[in-house]
Amino acid sequence: MAVIVATDSDFTNVLNANQKVVVKYYADWCGSCRLFSPKFKRMSDDAQFDGITFVDVNAEQSPEARKLASVTNLPFFAIFNGGQLVDTIAASKEDAVVNLIQKLNA
């Protein structure tokens, strides 16, 4: 599944239109964020995450979306279920992000 790019203007709609969502918050200047992008894309295509929507949000250009997850560091990941924040992690390790996403299937 393709990674959806969301901004403040459509972030709430994306959360409400999809039951299970994982969001990667990034900034253009963030090297770790750029390095994680291909991993995030690969994870979005992984069969174990079927039914989960993957979303990219530029944290600098979307302050309202950033505030919803209380972003503290980049890259930052948040999972939402039914539009509600479930958990977050600031990490650049793929296994930490996989563990976070698996909470949506628990």
Side-chain angles (χ1 to χ4, degrees):
M1 175 185 285
V3 176
I4 297 169
V5 177
T7 63
D8 276 352
S9 63
D10 60 358
F11 186 70
T12 304
N13 290 338
V14 170
L15 290 182
N16 291 333
N18 299 281
Q19 181 65 30
K20 298 177 180 182
V21 179
V22 57
V23 181
K24 179 185 77 173
Y25 294 89
Y26 70 95
D28 293 333
W29 52 262
C30 173
S32 296
C33 300
R34 283 196 303 274
L35 290 172
F36 204 90
S37 284
K39 297 174 190 174
F40 197 63
K41 171 64 177 124
R42 187 176 67 247
M43 291 162 71
S44 75
D45 292 330
D46 192 320
Q48 74 172 319
F49 300 129
D50 279 354
I52 297 175
T53 303
F54 285 69
V55 179
D56 266 344
V57 171
N58 185 316
E60 291 189 310
Q61 296 174 1
S62 299
E64 294 303 314
R66 182 177 71 230
K67 200 182 309 177
L68 275 176
S70 302
V71 175
T72 57
N73 212 336
L74 297 174
F76 190 91
F77 299 87
I79 53 173
F80 294 84
N81 195 338
Q84 299 299 310
L85 180 65
V86 175
D87 202 357
T88 63
I89 188 171
S92 54
K93 300 265 188 260
E94 187 171 353
D95 58 342
V97 177
V98 167
N99 289 338
L100 177 72
I101 298 170
Q102 287 174 335
K103 291 179 181 182
L104 284 171
N105 287 332

